[in-house]
Amino acid sequence: MKIKFSGVPVAEDIFSLDDVKEHLRVEHTEEDDLITGIRAAAISYAEEYCSIKLGSYAATGYLDNFENSIIPVGPVNSLTAVNYKAVGYTQDLSTLDFTKYFTDLDTTPNRICFVNVPSLAQYQLNRVQITMGVGYTTGVVPAAIIAAVKLLCGHLYENRQAETFNLMPYAL
């Protein structure tokens, strides 16, 4: 399943600049831009590494067929609609009745399963579109993820320069 996110929410309410500065023990404002960039990089890294989103996102999942699938990013908070391109060459989407699919939003990763589905248009890609809301919101982010982001912020703040290693010994 391919996922497209609508908008880019800021996870400011989850990890504020003040929270990161407190963790780093920084009291001045001279490096706020640097720390904001470090915070964004740490959040992005955690999201990619864990296949999660921090903050509320509107997302659309795309499938070429009605196939039982794992939703590759989470957590899924709501699955609002399943639309599809029906038989015949058309760009209009039909809405799949909610009795023709089942979701498992309780386990990780989240899943969707289809039953008794209609025929799809031929020779098209992304014929099934799943509209959903994903992401951790304030107060529900696991403590381990918060700790990891703060530790990564500390590492990036303390080690701002690129590291180089001499792999070749000096010639004598």
Side-chain angles (χ1 to χ4, degrees), residues 2-59:
K2 298 161 288 301
I3 303 280
K4 178 182 175 184
F5 298 98
S6 301
V8 182
V10 177
E12 183 69 30
D13 53 341
I14 296 172
F15 301 109
S16 70
L17 176 62
D18 291 336
D19 292 338
V20 176
K21 287 174 68 173
E22 180 181 337
H23 175 74
L24 298 174
R25 310 250 193 290
V26 173
E27 295 179 357
H28 55 80
T29 59
E30 296 167 0
E31 296 181 315
D32 281 3
D33 290 341
L34 172 69
I35 295 171
T36 299
I38 286 172
R39 179 183 150 275
I43 289 171
S44 179
Y45 183 84
E47 287 179 334
E48 288 296 319
Y49 187 82
C50 298
S51 296
I52 60 170
K53 287 294 180 185
L54 300 174
S56 296
Y57 286 78

Side-chain angles (χ1 to χ4, degrees), residues 97-156:
D97 186 61
F98 71 92
T99 61
K100 297 196 180 281
Y101 63 90
F102 301 96
T103 58
D104 175 12
L105 305 182
D106 296 327
T107 62
T108 302
N110 303 132
R111 302 177 290 169
I112 187 167
C113 174
F114 299 98
V115 292
N116 300 325
V117 292
S119 297
L120 293 170
Q122 294 182 350
Y123 311 116
Q124 293 186 32
L125 299 174
N126 299 330
R127 296 181 287 184
V128 178
Q129 298 178 12
I130 303 164
T131 306
M132 58 192 132
V134 299
Y136 285 107
T137 56
T138 305
V140 296
V141 180
I145 293 172
I146 293 171
V149 170
K150 287 181 178 179
L151 287 172
L152 186 54
C153 286
H155 174 76
L156 293 173

